[in-house]
Amino acid sequence: MKFKLLLRVVACVMTFAILFGGVSAFGYIHSNHAYWNPVRQTPMPALQDMSVPEYHPEKPTVAVLLSNPTTEIFDFMVPYEMFAMTDFYNVYAVAPDKNMKTLSAPEG
């Protein structure tokens, strides 16, 4: 009789652990998958009439790095705009290659 009760308790605990652990693991894996992959899956538009900003040697130079595939718009644009709007700095956006970058927040 005690063995049946123990077996039922173990079965209930295992069912609870598997059910909620499985749901939690699925949610964790799904949310990380969305985090590490860029949201935009459409082809990037071509850049036309782009030019390098004029360099002023009397101003300090600031380079805002855009290299992580999960960079969000606020990670990049806030520092860029804060320096650029003062007009006291040479502000450049830099990246490890010349490919188009996305500034999309991950879904989730």
Side-chain angles (χ1 to χ4, degrees):
M1 192 70 162
K2 288 184 181 184
F3 181 70
K4 279 187 168 183
L5 180 62
L6 179 63
L7 190 59
R8 283 184 180 173
V9 170
V10 168
C12 288
V13 169
M14 292 299 291
T15 302
F16 179 81
I18 290 171
L19 178 66
F20 289 106
V23 169
S24 300
F26 176 77
Y28 177 77
I29 291 168
H30 180 72
S31 66
N32 279 343
H33 175 73
Y35 178 77
W36 289 110
N37 293 325
V39 175
R40 184 179 176 137
Q41 300 299 327
T42 58
M44 299 294 178
L47 295 176
Q48 298 175 1
D49 301 324
M50 293 293 296
S51 63
V52 176
E54 185 178 340
Y55 176 75
H56 300 284
E58 65 278 357
K59 296 180 182 180
T61 299
V62 174
V64 182
L65 182 63
L66 177 59
S67 65
N68 191 333
T70 60
T71 299
E72 296 183 19
I73 193 161
F74 294 117
D75 298 338
F76 176 76
M77 290 304 298
V78 170
Y80 187 92
E81 284 297 319
M82 285 181 65
F83 285 110
M85 69 189 254
T86 64
D87 204 31
F88 293 131
Y89 299 93
N90 296 306
V91 184
Y92 296 97
V94 295
D97 54 41
K98 291 186 177 188
N99 296 334
M100 179 77 72
K101 305 292 184 209
T102 59
L103 292 176
S104 300
E107 291 180 357

